[in-house]
Structures are given as structure tokens and as C-alpha cells.
Amino acid sequence: MCGIIGYIGEKNANEITLKGLKKLEYRGYDSFGFANLTSKINIYKDIGKVSQIKNIDLPKSNISIAHTRWATHGGVKKENSHPHQSNNKEIALTHNGIIENYQEIKKELIKNDYFFKSETDSEIIPVYIEYLIKKEKIVFFEALKKTLKKIKGNYAITIIYKNEKKIFFAKKGSPLIIGIGKNENFISSDMNAFLECTNKIICLDDNEYGFIEENSFSIYDLNTNKKKNKKINLIKNDTLKNKEIIKENKKIKNIKTNNNNNNNNNNNEKNNEKNNEKNNEKKIKEIIEKIKNKIDFKQNYNNHYMLKEIFEQANTIDYAINQNIKKITKIINKIKKTNDIFLIGCGTSYNCCLYASYLFREILNKQTTPIIASEFENYLPLITNKSLIIAVSQSGETIDVLEAIKKSKEKKATIFSIVNTNFSTLTRISDENIMMNSGVEICVLSTKSYTSQIAIFLLLIYSLKYNYNNAIKKIKKISNKIPLILENNFEKLKEIADLIKEKNDLFLIGRNSLYPIALEGALKIKEVSYIHAEGFAGGELKHGTIALIENKTPVIILSSKKNRELTLSNAIEIKSRGGYIIGFDYINNEIFDNFIEIPNIDEDNSILMIIPLQILSYFLAINRGCDPDKPRNLAKSVTVI
Ligand code: AGP
């Protein structure tokens, strides 16, 4: 999705906004642009990648706004990229979101002899402001306010006006955050764009507008026109936050999470935990070194974030379960008492919700309803003030999730969220948040955020089934196995990717909780290698999909103790039609043409299956010349409907 960064202060605004845009590249985009203010407004914009430019061909300035565009209204063309200007070139704007009534406004402006250079909805905003200033003889800020009341839809906008040393802004439905510096201020759609410069932020809420200057900011409410005092938040880095949670938890003596008295963590357990974490980090480093020696990392794997974030999972799972025990206890008590629980998400986060619904049933015998957020309105009649909604979102800005939560709040439902991005919109509209603590996920694909989301559901479910301490132990058993999976299978996964890279279709089969894993594996493969991968429940094979199995069609079979017999019979049916079987299990089988060994841990090794599937999708992307970090057409966070 589009990215916005603005700077006003004593430094070189061109440099700061260029650096900021590069931090936003991970969100996915197809064009970019800058506007700065000297005695006039200067514009530089183009299609392509920001990373290709060293400096911006604009005069020096202390005020600059910049934008990365992910095309919605109007194709990928230079004239459609932002910033957009008024006809008299005295106003420049960047915009995230969609203006729903832009056609009628555009018609009114054209009737009054105004012209447009782009096909976008955004361009009507600066032109309409110019129109009002001339027609009603009002000042810029008044014209901005009237324009905001005229337009319908979602927006996060920044504007510079030739006659004022300010950056104006307005927010409704799309994220916008102010960064407070010393003799400088920032504004962005994503705090990662300026976190290097300041960790003091103000999160704007819907229907707020105003401006930032070098040493001050003014925020108004569009409905009341009154000036607002907003809280300045301090962003702590994840390490600091993790340390604070561990310190807080140590103060809690007997950890009661489900009426069983837990034996308190004694010292040697605490030492084990610490050693585990250090061991994992050490093991991962050793494995990466081994792998680097075997595979020409330099030539093909130039440090893609996707691979880095896959490897980080041995530790991010542990960070995810490092939660404030009091908060976890409160949340699981609410889960225990509630019968209608809805799990909401999109894409990978939805696949996590579906997987969690299997865990709730299999481990707690508790019914929960997983819902694709964009389908939520079909379930709205079921939502009451007794309902518990658990929203899952890495970015906390996915518009379909936010829309579902806003409608649930109108029904007075309780909202818990599992989120990675602090101070995101979702964290601010939920009753309780469980932060994933995964650190910034740069790759557009969700990898470490997926396993962190699952780990948090396992923490809640195991804490209810057993107790908090045992939950931690069981989940650490999972994270401790990840280095082993990587070490034993990394090269074989590369070989398998070499074998199937030319294929255009690939199928994944899973039963029970392996079915949602098959869906997630298919999503990874399709979104990063553009192979048409389809995951489906093993029992569905003969209900249609088997018609697609041809000679050498690759099929990944996810198998474990619970469903091995039935899954192997699926494999035999596929094999007899010429399919190429890649088995994922902890024991091999002669039906498999290739085999990926998954460590056997207790009743649940299904979540471990996703690690080799992520690696396989990475190698398929590389083999097919795809960018694993920024796949075509995809954005890191879908903030427009
Ligand atoms: C998954 O790899 C994709 N990046 C996408 O499906 C993503 O999971 C989805 O857009 C939801 O994003 P969220 O977790 O930030 O809400």
C-alpha cells in the first residue's frame, strides 16, 4: 500500500524524506514522488523504485513531503504518481486511501474551467482547495477544512502550500502518525519511516486535521473545529519491552491461570529459559554459516529479508510468548467464560485463525468461528455484547479487519487483538492487545509474524488446558526444533525447488490441523513464486481436485501420526495418476518421491511444517527470478478496500 513521509525542520528535508521513503519500500509500490518548498513548490516524481535514486533532483529545502504509490485509481504512470498539484501549482498533496465521490467533484471543477493531469481520485483535493480559495475568498486552512467536509472516503493526506512554512495533514480511515523531534517534526503513514530520528509519536485519529511546523504542531477535530490536545507516546524498542515484561513477570509469585496452582518458575528453570534462547541464537548463527558455505549466498541470496525473517523464527516464537502474565490470565479467563468466540483476519492472519480454531477444538474442545475479515458482514447478526472477537493482524492496519472491529464495537462485543505493530489503529480500538514482539517484518510475505501469532494462540490454549508454565515449556519445545529443521532440510528444499521450478501448478494436502497449514503453504508459494499453488483438505481430493493431477504434477503431502493412514491413501491415489509426491512427516514412506523430515514432538508438530514450506517458497521464488521481499502487485498492508 502507499506510503507517506513529510519533514519540516532545520535539516535537509530532501535527504530525510528520501531516506524515509526507502524505509517504506517494503510496503509495496510502483511509483514515487517528492514535493518541497522554496520560494515555490518543486516536484520530482517517477515510476519505478526509490532504491534506484541516490539523491533527489530538487533545490535544497527544509520542508518536504514524499509518497510511494500502489496504483488503485489510474495505471502505473508518472502523471498518476504523487504529489499532485493545484492548477496554480501553489498546493502539493500526497494521499493514501480512496475518495469515493471524486468523480462528481471532478465534474464540478471541470465545469469551472479547472483541468486535471492524472486519472487519480487524489488530484481533486488540491484543485478543489484552490477553487474554494478563489471562489469564496477564504484562507488556505479554511478551504482545506471545507474540502475535508466535502470529500467522502478514506484518506491520510499531507499538503504543502506555497505561502505557509507548514505541512498540513488530515486523517480518516488510513493511518497517519506525527513524529516529534528537536527543531524538527515528521509525519508518516508508518512510524518506521522516521523512528531512527525520534521515538516520540502522536497517533492521529479519524477526523483529525491540522499542521506541523518546525517547533510545534496543531491538531483540530473536523466535527467540532476545536483544537485537540493529544498524548505524546514513547516508542520502546522490542528488546527493552521484552526485558520489562520478564522483570514484571518475575514479581508475580504463584501464577494462577486456570485454577491450578502453578509451581513457580524456580531459578534453574529461569536459567534454562535464558540458556535456551542463547542456544537458539547460537545454533541459528552456526546453521547460517554452514548453509552459506554450501550455497553461493553471495550470488543468489543477497541477504533477502524473507530468508532472514524465516530464520528469526527460532527466537521470535519465544519473544511472542514472553507476555505479561496478568494480562494473559485476564484474557484466558474471558475466553473460558465466553461461548461465542470469533477469530478474524485476512490472508496469512486468517490462515492462523483457521489453524487456531482447530487447536481450540482439539485441545480444549471449544468451538470458535474463524472468519475472513472481508466476509464478516455475513456474521454480523450473530455478534452480541456477549461475543468475544479476537482480531489477528501483523500490521494492525488491514482495512477489512478494522471495518469488522468497528462494526463489532457497535454491537458492544469485547475485542482482543494479536498485533505486531505498536500504536497501530487496531491496537487503539481494541479492549486488549497481545503484542507479537516479532520486530519489524520487512518482507511483504508474513513468515515470522505467522508463527508468532500461532505461538500466542498456543500460549492461551495451553495455559487454559494445563497452566502458564507448562504452556511456555511446550511452546519452547517447538521453537527449539526449528534450527534442526533448517539444518536437516535446507539443501534438500533447494533441490526440490530446482526439480519443480518449471511447474505452473502445485498442490498441498493436509488433514485436521494440517489443512490450514496446507492453505498457508500454498499462499506462501503462490504469492512469492507466482506458481498456482492450491492447498486443500485431504478428504476433498476425490471431490474434484484429483481431476487436475497429471504426470509429474507436484503434490506436497503433510502427514503426522494422527492422520497418516488416510493421508498416505491420498498419496497412493495421486501417485497412481503420475503425481510427484513430496512427503512432510517425521517418518519416511516408500510412496514419497521426496521427503522432508519434521521432528516429532508430542501431539502437535503441525506448526513446524510451515518452516520448510516457507523455505521452499523462497527457493522457488529465487529459481523463477522473483523478488522474494517485494512480490509483484502485493503490498505489506492492505489499507484500502
Ligand atoms: C501474507 O504473506 C500476506 N502478506 C498477506 O496475506 C497478509 O497476511 C494479509 O494482508 C494480512 O495482513 P495483516 O496481518 O497485516 O493484517
Side-chain angles (χ1 to χ4, degrees):
M1 287 293 109
C2 310
I4 281 179
I5 173 75
Y7 174 83
I8 182 165
E10 53 190 16
K11 294 182 190 124
N12 179 335
N14 295 344
E15 270 170 27
I16 292 190
T17 48
L18 174 58
K19 205 168 170 190
L21 270 202
K22 287 183 176 175
K23 294 261 187 213
L24 298 182
E25 284 199 278
Y26 78 99
R27 303 169 60 89
Y29 69 103
D30 37 53
S31 61
F32 62 90
F34 301 81
N36 76 16
L37 180 59
T38 49
S39 56
K40 65 183 184 61
I41 287 181
N42 312 289
I43 300 273
Y44 171 81
K45 59 187 188 177
D46 208 345
I47 57 173
K49 297 297 175 198
V50 178
S51 38
Q52 286 150 2
I53 51 173
K54 292 273 171 287
N55 49 48
I56 313 165
D57 182 13
L58 286 176
K60 274 190 100 172
S61 168
N62 300 93
I63 303 177
S64 168
I65 56 175
H67 186 265
T68 48
R69 178 176 183 254
W70 191 85
T72 49
H73 291 63
V76 180
K77 292 180 202 161
K78 184 170 176 177
E79 56 272 23
N80 287 336
S81 59
H82 299 212
H84 290 294
Q85 281 187 284
S86 52
N87 285 187
N88 63 8
K89 298 191 185 312
E90 294 190 359
I91 303 166
L93 156 129
T94 66
H95 166 231
N96 283 359
I98 289 180
I99 306 301
E100 289 155 8
N101 59 336
Y102 83 98
Q103 277 119 337
E104 66 181 78
I105 297 173
K106 193 165 183 172
K107 275 199 200 100
E108 183 188 346
L109 291 166
I110 291 169
K111 235 169 42 200
N112 285 279
D113 301 329
Y114 286 86
F115 60 84
F116 290 87
K117 289 183 181 165
S118 80
E119 303 153 315
T120 68
D121 52 339
S122 313
E123 192 182 4
I124 60 108
I125 298 174
V127 179
Y128 196 75
I129 293 172
E130 175 189 358
Y131 163 68
L132 287 180
I133 291 172
K134 286 182 181 155
K135 179 167 170 275
E136 301 187 10
K137 302 216 178 346
I138 51 178
V139 295
F140 172 86
F141 201 50
E142 201 49 38
L144 168 62
K145 185 170 65 178
K146 288 189 162 222
T147 304
L148 295 174
K149 289 181 185 283
K150 172 88 177 176
I151 59 178
K152 294 189 181 67
N154 281 337
Y155 54 76
I157 58 177
T158 59
I159 304 181
I160 50 178
Y161 173 49
K162 174 175 168 290
N163 305 329
E164 301 206 42
K165 285 202 173 313
K166 293 175 176 146
I167 295 178
F168 296 88
F169 59 79
K171 188 252 192 245
K172 181 171 173 253
S174 244
L176 201 56
I177 298 167
I178 294 174
I180 309 292
K182 195 166 173 308
N183 304 325
E184 59 186 14
N185 283 319
F186 306 78
I187 187 158
S188 180
S189 53
D190 177 338
M191 67 177 95
N192 289 306
F194 59 67
L195 263 187
E196 251 177 43
C197 308
T198 177
N199 64 349
K200 294 192 186 78
I201 65 165
I202 293 174
C203 298
L204 291 169
D205 291 308
D206 286 353
N207 297 312
E208 289 181 344
Y209 73 108
F211 51 84
I212 54 174
E213 299 173 272
E214 190 164 312
N215 284 304
S216 68
F217 56 88
S218 302
I219 300 169
Y220 297 85
D221 182 309
L222 188 61
N223 298 322
T224 63
N225 298 328
K226 285 207 173 50
K227 194 162 183 176
K228 294 181 82 168
N229 290 322
K230 296 277 288 183
K231 180 170 173 282
I232 296 180
N233 298 294
L234 213 52
I235 295 285
K236 293 172 195 153
N237 67 33
D238 283 333
T239 329
L240 186 62
K241 270 192 312 182
N242 276 326
K243 282 200 184 101
E244 279 179 357
I245 294 172
I246 291 168
K247 210 168 91 207
E248 186 66 25
N249 285 347
K250 279 192 185 115
K251 289 182 213 150
I252 299 170
K253 290 293 164 239
N254 290 325
I255 303 162
K256 281 173 68 62
T257 55
N258 67 335
N259 305 328
N260 301 343
N261 226 347
N262 298 295
N263 59 329
N264 198 359
N265 255 343
N266 57 35
N267 283 338
N268 61 359
E269 266 191 359
K270 276 197 192 73
N271 295 338
N272 287 345
E273 266 173 42
K274 240 193 258 110
N275 295 339
N276 262 340
E277 212 151 287
K278 281 211 187 68
N279 288 343
N280 266 351
E281 275 166 10
K282 194 162 142 285
K283 263 189 236 161
I284 287 287
K285 279 201 182 88
E286 284 162 7
I287 292 164
I288 291 178
E289 277 324 301
K290 272 189 204 164
I291 287 167
K292 281 189 171 177
N293 297 337
K294 285 179 194 156
I295 295 177
D296 53 344
F297 256 76
K298 293 282 164 297
Q299 193 196 334
N300 295 327
Y301 313 109
N302 49 357
N303 301 328
H304 290 121
Y305 282 108
M306 182 175 177
L307 204 54
K308 173 178 170 291
E309 288 159 3
I310 291 172
F311 277 114
E312 282 175 358
Q313 292 174 108
N315 298 313
T316 48
I317 285 178
D318 292 349
Y319 302 153
I321 58 175
N322 177 32
Q323 296 291 340
N324 178 300
I325 298 168
K326 280 188 202 147
K327 180 195 281 193
I328 294 300
T329 307
K330 182 181 161 200
I331 287 172
I332 59 178
N333 287 339
K334 173 72 180 169
I335 290 173
K336 205 155 131 187
K337 285 187 295 214
T338 309
N339 291 320
D340 53 341
I341 299 176
F342 300 85
L343 315 176
I344 297 183
C346 295
T348 288
S349 296
Y350 166 72
N351 289 339
C352 164
C353 293
L354 181 61
Y355 182 76
S357 69
Y358 276 81
L359 296 180
F360 271 107
R361 263 191 309 281
E362 285 173 13
I363 300 170
L364 291 177
N365 194 27
K366 191 171 192 65
Q367 174 56 25
T368 58
T369 308
I371 303 174
I372 294 174
S374 55
E375 293 296 308
F376 183 73
E377 62 184 322
N378 303 293
Y379 295 81
L380 201 49
L382 303 176
I383 307 300
T384 69
N385 62 353
K386 300 257 183 304
S387 303
L388 169 60
I389 312 287
I390 301 181
V392 180
S393 174
Q394 189 284 132
S395 63
E397 298 298 350
T398 298
I399 189 83
D400 288 325
V401 173
L402 299 180
E403 293 300 308
I405 296 309
K406 284 172 190 165
K407 290 189 188 117
S408 303
K409 285 173 78 79
E410 287 162 15
K411 296 278 194 94
K412 306 271 180 279
T414 302
I415 314 292
F416 292 163
S417 295
I418 298 175
V419 203
N420 194 36
T421 311
N422 217 337
F423 297 105
S424 55
T425 305
L426 183 59
T427 57
R428 290 186 282 127
I429 61 177
S430 300
D431 299 307
E432 280 292 351
N433 294 300
I434 307 179
M435 298 315 291
M436 293 155 49
N437 307 325
S438 306
V440 179
E441 187 172 61
I442 301 289
C443 175
V444 164
L445 273 77
S446 301
T447 50
K448 62 178 182 175
S449 55
Y450 172 71
T451 47
S452 296
Q453 291 163 353
I454 299 274
I456 288 168
F457 273 117
L458 281 169
L459 178 65
L460 299 174
I461 292 165
Y462 282 152
S463 295
L464 269 169
K465 173 84 177 176
Y466 308 106
N467 59 51
Y468 178 83
N469 286 333
N470 286 344
I472 294 288
K473 270 188 240 160
K474 288 175 80 65
I475 299 163
K476 282 190 182 282
K477 259 188 174 174
I478 295 173
S479 60
N480 289 344
K481 296 288 182 189
I482 292 178
L484 197 66
I485 297 180
L486 294 171
E487 189 166 10
N488 292 349
N489 295 301
F490 200 77
E491 278 190 279
K492 190 183 278 189
L493 287 160
K494 183 175 178 308
E495 286 157 17
I496 293 173
D498 292 342
L499 273 173
I500 62 175
K501 65 187 175 198
E502 305 301 333
K503 297 293 178 186
N504 292 318
D505 298 300
L506 185 151
F507 298 94
L508 300 91
I509 285 184
R511 287 174 179 261
N512 304 319
S513 62
L514 290 174
Y515 163 50
I517 302 289
L519 294 178
E520 175 56 16
L523 177 58
K524 291 287 91 61
I525 291 169
K526 79 175 94 173
E527 66 177 335
V528 79
S529 71
Y530 315 150
I531 292 175
H532 176 232
E534 182 184 335
F536 61 96
E540 282 295 283
L541 176 66
K542 291 192 281 287
H543 295 282
T545 311
I546 197 162
L548 297 175
I549 305 298
E550 297 169 340
N551 188 32
K552 295 278 174 260
T553 301
V555 180
I556 295 174
I557 301 281
L558 306 179
S559 163
S560 70
K561 185 166 64 177
K562 206 181 301 180
N563 56 51
R564 186 171 294 120
E565 220 171 289
L566 288 172
T567 306
L568 288 178
S569 70
N570 283 147
I572 292 164
E573 288 155 359
I574 290 164
K575 189 90 180 217
S576 59
R577 286 157 181 82
Y580 181 76
I581 306 290
I582 304 157
F584 281 43
D585 198 336
Y586 56 83
I587 44 175
N588 203 338
N589 187 290
E590 75 272 358
I591 190 73
F592 297 154
D593 298 301
N594 227 311
F595 170 64
I596 295 296
E597 185 183 359
I598 305 293
N600 174 27
I601 39 163
D602 303 342
E603 78 271 11
D604 178 29
N605 68 352
S606 52
I607 183 55
L608 288 171
M609 298 269 187
I610 197 61
I611 308 289
L613 287 170
Q614 293 168 342
I615 298 276
L616 177 64
S617 58
Y618 171 77
F619 280 128
L620 285 170
I622 298 292
N623 279 344
R624 294 164 64 97
C626 305
D627 178 345
D629 288 338
K630 293 195 275 296
R632 69 186 177 197
N633 307 335
L634 285 182
K636 183 61 184 171
S637 171
V638 182
T639 56
V640 289
I641 295 243

PDB file of all heavy atoms in Angstrom, residues 42 50 56-57 79 97 140 175 375 505 515 568 611 626:
ATOM      1  N   ASN A  42       8.372  22.706  -5.556  1.00  0.00           N
ATOM      2  CA  ASN A  42       9.162  21.971  -6.547  1.00  0.00           C
ATOM      3  C   ASN A  42       8.790  20.483  -6.473  1.00  0.00           C
ATOM      4  O   ASN A  42       8.693  19.928  -5.388  1.00  0.00           O
ATOM      5  CB  ASN A  42      10.652  22.113  -6.217  1.00  0.00           C
ATOM      6  CG  ASN A  42      11.007  23.581  -5.941  1.00  0.00           C
ATOM      7  OD1 ASN A  42      11.022  24.403  -6.860  1.00  0.00           O
ATOM      8  ND2 ASN A  42      11.215  23.907  -4.651  1.00  0.00           N
ATOM      9  N   VAL A  50      12.397   3.588  -5.586  1.00  0.00           N
ATOM     10  CA  VAL A  50      13.109   4.655  -4.872  1.00  0.00           C
ATOM     11  C   VAL A  50      14.577   4.262  -4.686  1.00  0.00           C
ATOM     12  O   VAL A  50      15.486   5.074  -4.755  1.00  0.00           O
ATOM     13  CB  VAL A  50      12.464   4.883  -3.483  1.00  0.00           C
ATOM     14  CG1 VAL A  50      13.199   5.937  -2.705  1.00  0.00           C
ATOM     15  CG2 VAL A  50      11.015   5.262  -3.636  1.00  0.00           C
ATOM     16  N   ILE A  56      17.703  13.423  -4.786  1.00  0.00           N
ATOM     17  CA  ILE A  56      16.534  13.945  -5.498  1.00  0.00           C
ATOM     18  C   ILE A  56      16.921  15.205  -6.265  1.00  0.00           C
ATOM     19  O   ILE A  56      17.579  16.095  -5.727  1.00  0.00           O
ATOM     20  CB  ILE A  56      15.427  14.319  -4.486  1.00  0.00           C
ATOM     21  CG1 ILE A  56      15.233  13.202  -3.460  1.00  0.00           C
ATOM     22  CG2 ILE A  56      14.115  14.593  -5.207  1.00  0.00           C
ATOM     23  CD1 ILE A  56      14.442  13.664  -2.262  1.00  0.00           C
ATOM     24  N   ASP A  57      16.509  15.260  -7.512  1.00  0.00           N
ATOM     25  CA  ASP A  57      16.855  16.401  -8.368  1.00  0.00           C
ATOM     26  C   ASP A  57      15.938  17.586  -8.047  1.00  0.00           C
ATOM     27  O   ASP A  57      15.078  17.968  -8.845  1.00  0.00           O
ATOM     28  CB  ASP A  57      16.697  15.948  -9.835  1.00  0.00           C
ATOM     29  CG  ASP A  57      17.081  17.070 -10.768  1.00  0.00           C
ATOM     30  OD1 ASP A  57      17.681  18.035 -10.249  1.00  0.00           O
ATOM     31  OD2 ASP A  57      16.750  16.996 -11.968  1.00  0.00           O
ATOM     32  N   GLU A  79       2.389  10.531 -14.465  1.00  0.00           N
ATOM     33  CA  GLU A  79       1.411  11.593 -14.140  1.00  0.00           C
ATOM     34  C   GLU A  79       0.446  11.158 -13.039  1.00  0.00           C
ATOM     35  O   GLU A  79      -0.201  11.988 -12.399  1.00  0.00           O
ATOM     36  CB  GLU A  79       0.643  12.049 -15.387  1.00  0.00           C
ATOM     37  CG  GLU A  79      -0.096  10.990 -16.154  1.00  0.00           C
ATOM     38  CD  GLU A  79       0.781  10.328 -17.210  1.00  0.00           C
ATOM     39  OE1 GLU A  79       2.018  10.372 -17.066  1.00  0.00           O
ATOM     40  OE2 GLU A  79       0.226   9.757 -18.159  1.00  0.00           O
ATOM     41  N   GLY A  97      -5.382   6.222   0.472  1.00  0.00           N
ATOM     42  CA  GLY A  97      -6.815   5.989   0.687  1.00  0.00           C
ATOM     43  C   GLY A  97      -7.579   6.140  -0.612  1.00  0.00           C
ATOM     44  O   GLY A  97      -6.992   6.170  -1.696  1.00  0.00           O
ATOM     45  N   PHE A 140      -6.271  29.498   3.103  1.00  0.00           N
ATOM     46  CA  PHE A 140      -5.978  28.096   2.769  1.00  0.00           C
ATOM     47  C   PHE A 140      -6.585  27.144   3.799  1.00  0.00           C
ATOM     48  O   PHE A 140      -7.283  26.187   3.461  1.00  0.00           O
ATOM     49  CB  PHE A 140      -4.455  27.885   2.680  1.00  0.00           C
ATOM     50  CG  PHE A 140      -4.073  26.436   2.528  1.00  0.00           C
ATOM     51  CD1 PHE A 140      -4.026  25.854   1.272  1.00  0.00           C
ATOM     52  CD2 PHE A 140      -3.822  25.646   3.645  1.00  0.00           C
ATOM     53  CE1 PHE A 140      -3.717  24.514   1.118  1.00  0.00           C
ATOM     54  CE2 PHE A 140      -3.519  24.297   3.511  1.00  0.00           C
ATOM     55  CZ  PHE A 140      -3.468  23.731   2.238  1.00  0.00           C
ATOM     56  N   PRO A 175      -3.896   5.181   8.194  1.00  0.00           N
ATOM     57  CA  PRO A 175      -3.013   5.599   9.298  1.00  0.00           C
ATOM     58  C   PRO A 175      -2.150   6.817   8.991  1.00  0.00           C
ATOM     59  O   PRO A 175      -1.687   6.987   7.858  1.00  0.00           O
ATOM     60  CB  PRO A 175      -2.129   4.367   9.530  1.00  0.00           C
ATOM     61  CG  PRO A 175      -2.251   3.533   8.317  1.00  0.00           C
ATOM     62  CD  PRO A 175      -3.572   3.832   7.705  1.00  0.00           C
ATOM     63  N   GLU A 375     -15.457 -11.045   4.813  1.00  0.00           N
ATOM     64  CA  GLU A 375     -16.743 -11.763   4.798  1.00  0.00           C
ATOM     65  C   GLU A 375     -17.519 -11.519   6.098  1.00  0.00           C
ATOM     66  O   GLU A 375     -18.567 -12.131   6.334  1.00  0.00           O
ATOM     67  CB  GLU A 375     -16.481 -13.268   4.643  1.00  0.00           C
ATOM     68  CG  GLU A 375     -15.894 -13.653   3.299  1.00  0.00           C
ATOM     69  CD  GLU A 375     -16.865 -13.351   2.156  1.00  0.00           C
ATOM     70  OE1 GLU A 375     -18.019 -13.797   2.244  1.00  0.00           O
ATOM     71  OE2 GLU A 375     -16.470 -12.643   1.207  1.00  0.00           O
ATOM     72  N   ASP A 505       1.523 -25.564 -11.719  1.00  0.00           N
ATOM     73  CA  ASP A 505       0.527 -25.943 -10.705  1.00  0.00           C
ATOM     74  C   ASP A 505       1.183 -26.793  -9.643  1.00  0.00           C
ATOM     75  O   ASP A 505       2.054 -27.611  -9.952  1.00  0.00           O
ATOM     76  CB  ASP A 505      -0.607 -26.750 -11.349  1.00  0.00           C
ATOM     77  CG  ASP A 505      -1.344 -25.916 -12.389  1.00  0.00           C
ATOM     78  OD1 ASP A 505      -1.894 -24.869 -11.999  1.00  0.00           O
ATOM     79  OD2 ASP A 505      -1.292 -26.274 -13.576  1.00  0.00           O
ATOM     80  N   TYR A 515      -4.587 -29.085   7.543  1.00  0.00           N
ATOM     81  CA  TYR A 515      -5.297 -28.472   6.409  1.00  0.00           C
ATOM     82  C   TYR A 515      -5.030 -26.964   6.370  1.00  0.00           C
ATOM     83  O   TYR A 515      -4.595 -26.439   5.340  1.00  0.00           O
ATOM     84  CB  TYR A 515      -6.789 -28.789   6.523  1.00  0.00           C
ATOM     85  CG  TYR A 515      -7.679 -27.923   5.688  1.00  0.00           C
ATOM     86  CD1 TYR A 515      -7.427 -27.720   4.330  1.00  0.00           C
ATOM     87  CD2 TYR A 515      -8.780 -27.277   6.251  1.00  0.00           C
ATOM     88  CE1 TYR A 515      -8.233 -26.905   3.543  1.00  0.00           C
ATOM     89  CE2 TYR A 515      -9.594 -26.472   5.478  1.00  0.00           C
ATOM     90  CZ  TYR A 515      -9.312 -26.277   4.143  1.00  0.00           C
ATOM     91  OH  TYR A 515     -10.127 -25.462   3.380  1.00  0.00           O
ATOM     92  N   LEU A 568      -1.774 -41.074   3.550  1.00  0.00           N
ATOM     93  CA  LEU A 568      -0.979 -41.924   2.645  1.00  0.00           C
ATOM     94  C   LEU A 568      -1.867 -42.520   1.555  1.00  0.00           C
ATOM     95  O   LEU A 568      -1.444 -42.692   0.413  1.00  0.00           O
ATOM     96  CB  LEU A 568      -0.261 -43.020   3.422  1.00  0.00           C
ATOM     97  CG  LEU A 568       0.913 -42.529   4.294  1.00  0.00           C
ATOM     98  CD1 LEU A 568       1.526 -43.683   5.075  1.00  0.00           C
ATOM     99  CD2 LEU A 568       1.977 -41.829   3.453  1.00  0.00           C
ATOM    100  N   ILE A 611       7.666 -24.170   8.419  1.00  0.00           N
ATOM    101  CA  ILE A 611       9.043 -23.660   8.218  1.00  0.00           C
ATOM    102  C   ILE A 611       9.625 -24.150   6.886  1.00  0.00           C
ATOM    103  O   ILE A 611      10.026 -23.333   6.042  1.00  0.00           O
ATOM    104  CB  ILE A 611       9.958 -24.075   9.392  1.00  0.00           C
ATOM    105  CG1 ILE A 611       9.337 -23.685  10.738  1.00  0.00           C
ATOM    106  CG2 ILE A 611      11.362 -23.507   9.206  1.00  0.00           C
ATOM    107  CD1 ILE A 611       9.296 -22.235  11.087  1.00  0.00           C
ATOM    108  N   CYS A 626      12.007 -14.237  -9.144  1.00  0.00           N
ATOM    109  CA  CYS A 626      11.050 -13.322  -8.480  1.00  0.00           C
ATOM    110  C   CYS A 626      11.745 -12.645  -7.298  1.00  0.00           C
ATOM    111  O   CYS A 626      12.667 -13.203  -6.717  1.00  0.00           O
ATOM    112  CB  CYS A 626       9.855 -14.111  -7.971  1.00  0.00           C
ATOM    113  SG  CYS A 626       9.047 -15.089  -9.239  1.00  0.00           S
TER     114      CYS A 626
END
